[in-house]
């Protein structure tokens, strides 16, 4: 039954049957060998080794088991044990081609490792990496070869490649706390604090009293908690609290530049979102210098420029962001809006008419409106020319109040569209200072009406 299941590729079921077969006949060398082949098919080479050794113990001249065990030893980089098995095969069968070939590969491996060590010692890290590629092809389960190549990558500043080599060594070598710690430190240095915590926790699972791992764990956990809390504040739009946490994170880790860069970028975002344009521009500019290809920093600075009525600069930032990521919808929409606002600024700007900021609330808008309406009421002027000029200003003031106190119209205006501009109305036509209400109180030209400052 085990053989049938094995032939059908049902490895787990076949393994279960061979477990029973071994228990039923513990002196059958073939049963151990078959179970070992299943383990190998499942990628469990460590489990296969005891079965192959048992098969050889029961039948010392069983060449297939010796060859298979020698192959595993060779892949593990255990050259002495592998050599003993291949030589034992050749003693029984001097013309055995596979044993001869594997013995030659073993010699090649030993030479490669010696040459790689020598290249590393003379700081020829690129040369060592090239040599180790050949060695790792022969012994892919050898942690020593991968660890040496990882060290070479570290010396060359190729941290992600070092990580790729170190990760498998945590399974290839028992109790490899050093690899878990180094992985955690590498991730931490790359700004991936969450993955750093994952790796250092694996170290502490092996030994909770490991001093080096525990010290690094405390640092990574503190920083990670601060950054996570900051992001929670951002999601809840508690921007000032978020800024405080980002500043605290920079104090917690002043040595690793990537965290300062990330914190500056997020503070830039918070200041822009909380409508503090000048502060946002200053921080975003510093963040942009640190990370010039970050489109989100450019976006946040562009939004701060818009709040500051610097539309040309906003357009330039969005254009730069688009060069880095031309498919980003937020950037494309932002650029279109900034271009509309720039065009609009050359026409009638309701914020400038009332002398207010873009983030002022309705109460501040009405206050500015009342003051200007009183100042420019046509009844305050005597000559016809003065009255005409006052009428023009008064209509602009009333139009600004009408647009900026209506949420829908203000939203349109902030998006770069003047809701009172005849060009934006269906059918077009009209006068640029058309009265926005249902009637024009200056239609008769006599200006004798009672004005209500609502």
């Amino acid at each position: 039954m085990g053989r049938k299941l094995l032939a059908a590729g049902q490895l787990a079921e076949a393994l279960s049957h061979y477990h029973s077969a071994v228990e039923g006949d513990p002196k059958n060398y073939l049963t151990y060998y078959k179970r070992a082949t299943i383990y190998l098919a499942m990628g469990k080479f460590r489990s296969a080794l005891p079965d192959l050794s048992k098969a050889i113990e029961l039948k010392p001249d069983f060449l297939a088991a010796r060859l298979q065990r020698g192959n595993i030893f060779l892949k593990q980089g255990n050259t002495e044990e592998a050599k003993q098995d291949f030589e034992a095969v050749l003693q029984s069968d001097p013309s055995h081609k596979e044993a001869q070939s594997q013995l030659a590969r073993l010699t090649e491996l030993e030479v490669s490792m010696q040459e790689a060590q020598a290249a590393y010692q003379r700081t020829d890290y690129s040369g060592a990496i090239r040599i180790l590629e050949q060695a790792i092809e022969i012994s892919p389960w050898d942690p020593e070869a991968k660890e040496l190549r990882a060290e070479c990558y570290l010396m060359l500043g190729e941290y992600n490649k070092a990580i790729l080599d170190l990760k498998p060594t945590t399974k290839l070598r028992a109790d490899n706390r050093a690899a878990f710690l180094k992985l955690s430190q590498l991730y931490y240095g790359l700004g991936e604090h969450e993955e750093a915590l994952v790796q250092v926790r694996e170290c502490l699972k092996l030994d909770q009293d490991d001093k080096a791992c525990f010290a690094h764990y405390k640092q990574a956990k503190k920083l990670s908690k601060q950054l996570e809390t900051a992001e929670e504040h951002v999601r809840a739009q508690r921007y000032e609290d978020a800024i405080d946490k980002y500043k605290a994170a920079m104090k917690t880790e002043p040595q690793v530049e990537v965290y300062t860069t990330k914190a500056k970028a997020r503070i830039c975002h918070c200041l822009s979102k909380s409508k503090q344009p000048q502060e946002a521009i200053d921080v975003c500019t510093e963040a942009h210098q640190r990370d010039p290809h970050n489109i989100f920093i450019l976006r946040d600075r562009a939004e701060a420029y818009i709040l500051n009525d610097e539309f040309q600069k906003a357009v330039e930032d969005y254009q730069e962001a688009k060069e880095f990521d031309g498919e980003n919808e937020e950037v494309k929409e932002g650029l279109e809006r900034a271009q509309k606002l720039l065009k609009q600024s050359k026409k009638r700007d309701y914020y400038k008419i009332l002398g207010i900021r873009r983030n002022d609330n309705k109460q501040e808008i009405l206050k500015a409106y009342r003051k200007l309406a009183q100042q420019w009421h046509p009844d305050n002027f005597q000559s016809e020319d003065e009255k005409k000029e006052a009428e023009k200003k008064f209509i602009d003031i009333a139009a600004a109040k009408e647009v900026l106190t209506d949420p829908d119209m203000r939203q349109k205006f902030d998006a770069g569209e003047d809701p009172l501009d005849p060009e934006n109305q269906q059918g077009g036509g009209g006068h640029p200072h058309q009265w926005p209400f249902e009637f024009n109180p200056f239609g008769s030209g006599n200006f004798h009406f009672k004005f209500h400052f609502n």
Side-chain angles (χ1 to χ4, degrees):
M1 179 60 72
R3 285 195 295 272
K4 286 180 180 179
L5 291 167
L6 182 58
Q10 298 179 34
L11 300 180
E13 292 84 350
L15 185 61
S16 177
H17 279 276
Y18 274 104
H19 284 327
S20 301
V22 166
E23 290 175 4
D25 188 4
K27 298 295 183 181
N28 188 332
Y29 71 93
L30 275 175
T31 308
Y32 286 103
Y33 180 72
K34 287 289 186 181
R35 189 168 70 175
T37 61
I38 296 172
Y39 279 130
L40 288 173
M42 298 173 76
K44 298 180 178 181
F45 63 89
R46 280 203 189 92
S47 299
L49 273 175
D51 276 356
L52 290 171
S53 296
K54 186 65 177 179
I56 294 167
E57 178 189 323
L58 293 169
K59 188 173 175 57
D61 62 345
F62 188 16
L63 300 188
R66 280 200 179 274
L67 187 64
Q68 194 69 273
R69 190 175 69 173
N71 288 337
I72 292 174
F73 284 142
L74 180 58
K75 287 183 177 180
Q76 287 181 318
N78 296 327
T79 54
E80 286 303 316
E81 293 91 336
K83 185 182 292 185
Q84 289 174 12
D85 275 337
F86 295 141
E87 287 177 346
V89 172
L90 289 171
Q91 273 187 344
S92 298
D93 183 1
S95 62
H96 198 291
K97 290 184 178 180
E98 186 177 351
Q100 290 174 345
S101 173
Q102 291 298 79
L103 201 55
R105 281 166 61 83
L106 186 151
T107 303
E108 185 182 338
L109 172 63
E110 290 178 328
V111 171
S112 294
M113 288 300 294
Q114 289 171 2
E115 289 179 351
Q117 288 282 3
Y120 178 80
Q121 292 297 327
R122 62 175 182 268
T123 68
D124 180 12
Y125 306 117
S126 296
I129 288 169
R130 284 193 298 273
I131 297 167
L132 285 166
E133 284 174 2
Q134 187 177 9
I136 290 170
E137 184 183 346
I138 296 171
S139 58
W141 303 335
D142 180 12
E144 184 182 347
K146 290 185 185 294
E147 286 167 350
L148 179 56
R149 190 168 68 174
E151 284 298 321
C152 292
Y153 281 132
L154 286 177
M155 300 306 291
L156 294 172
E158 297 186 53
Y159 303 118
N160 285 311
K161 289 183 178 179
I163 287 171
L164 288 175
D165 268 347
L166 279 174
K167 269 195 168 181
T169 69
T170 61
K171 296 179 181 178
L172 294 171
R173 196 189 294 280
D175 190 16
N176 201 346
R177 282 175 285 157
F180 281 121
L181 178 58
K182 185 164 284 188
L183 278 169
S184 181
Q185 290 169 336
L186 281 170
Y187 278 119
Y188 185 86
L190 291 171
E192 299 181 36
H193 54 91
E194 292 173 345
E195 187 59 32
L197 276 176
V198 170
Q199 297 300 326
V200 77
R201 281 181 178 131
E202 291 299 319
C203 173
L204 292 172
K205 283 179 186 177
L206 295 170
D207 182 1
Q208 63 181 3
D209 296 322
D210 188 294
K211 291 183 179 180
C213 285
F214 186 67
H216 182 64
Y217 169 74
K218 285 199 301 181
Q219 173 71 5
K221 186 179 180 182
K222 181 180 179 181
L223 180 67
S224 188
K225 181 63 176 176
Q226 288 172 329
L227 293 173
E228 286 171 8
T229 304
E231 287 301 313
E232 287 172 8
H233 286 319
V234 172
R235 288 191 289 272
Q237 299 182 5
R238 297 189 296 267
Y239 298 116
E240 291 300 325
D241 291 335
I243 289 169
D244 290 341
K245 282 296 177 184
Y246 287 124
K247 288 180 178 178
M250 287 191 287
K251 288 182 179 179
T252 297
E253 185 46 85
Q255 302 300 322
V256 182
E257 192 70 19
V258 66
Y259 294 110
T260 300
T261 300
K262 284 187 175 183
K264 292 284 185 182
R266 298 304 284 160
I267 292 172
C268 152
H269 175 73
C270 292
L271 289 169
S272 182
K273 281 290 187 181
S274 59
K275 302 189 185 304
Q276 301 179 58
Q278 194 53 58
E279 294 88 338
I281 290 166
D282 293 341
V283 175
C284 291
T285 299
E286 182 185 349
H288 178 54
Q289 290 169 350
R290 289 173 172 273
D291 190 2
H293 294 164
N294 189 322
I295 65 169
F296 301 110
I297 294 173
L298 288 165
R299 172 205 63 191
D300 291 330
R301 189 171 68 172
E303 291 300 314
Y305 278 135
I306 287 172
L307 287 170
N308 227 28
D309 292 338
E310 297 180 72
F311 305 118
Q312 181 60 49
K313 290 182 178 179
V315 168
E316 290 169 2
D317 271 358
Y318 270 124
Q319 284 175 333
E320 186 177 347
K322 191 177 178 183
E323 288 175 11
F324 296 131
D325 186 355
E327 300 304 313
N328 187 289
E329 289 298 324
E330 189 179 10
V331 169
K332 288 194 284 188
E333 290 170 6
L335 176 58
E336 184 180 350
R337 181 163 49 84
Q339 288 170 332
K340 282 183 178 179
L341 288 167
L342 178 60
K343 181 180 177 182
Q344 181 191 86
S345 68
K346 296 173 182 177
K347 295 181 179 179
R348 191 164 49 164
D349 187 333
Y350 296 125
Y351 289 104
K352 286 185 178 178
I353 289 170
L354 294 182
I356 59 174
R357 296 171 299 178
R358 284 186 167 263
N359 56 335
D360 282 347
N361 58 33
K362 186 175 180 179
Q363 185 178 358
E364 291 165 326
I365 292 168
L366 289 172
K367 181 180 178 182
Y369 162 70
R370 292 188 187 106
K371 180 180 178 181
L372 290 170
Q374 286 178 328
Q375 179 183 344
W376 289 100
H377 194 286
D379 283 352
N380 293 336
F381 300 89
Q382 301 300 320
S383 72
E384 195 65 28
D385 289 341
E386 286 178 337
K387 284 183 181 290
K388 285 182 179 180
E389 179 63 23
E391 177 186 345
K392 179 182 174 183
K393 286 186 177 291
F394 192 83
I395 290 174
D396 279 346
I397 292 164
K401 175 255 185 185
E402 180 72 3
V403 169
L404 298 181
T405 56
D406 182 289
D408 291 334
M409 286 200 284
R410 185 176 184 179
Q411 187 177 10
K412 285 183 180 180
F413 186 75
D414 286 344
E417 177 186 339
D418 186 347
L420 303 183
D421 189 339
E423 292 180 7
N424 295 325
Q425 308 299 324
Q426 289 185 345
H431 189 273
H433 295 290
Q434 183 175 349
W435 186 253
F437 307 104
E438 294 180 0
F439 66 96
N440 184 345
F442 303 123
S444 65
N446 291 323
F447 314 127
H448 296 298
F449 65 93
K450 187 173 183 180
F451 187 79
H452 296 281
F453 296 100
N454 52 7

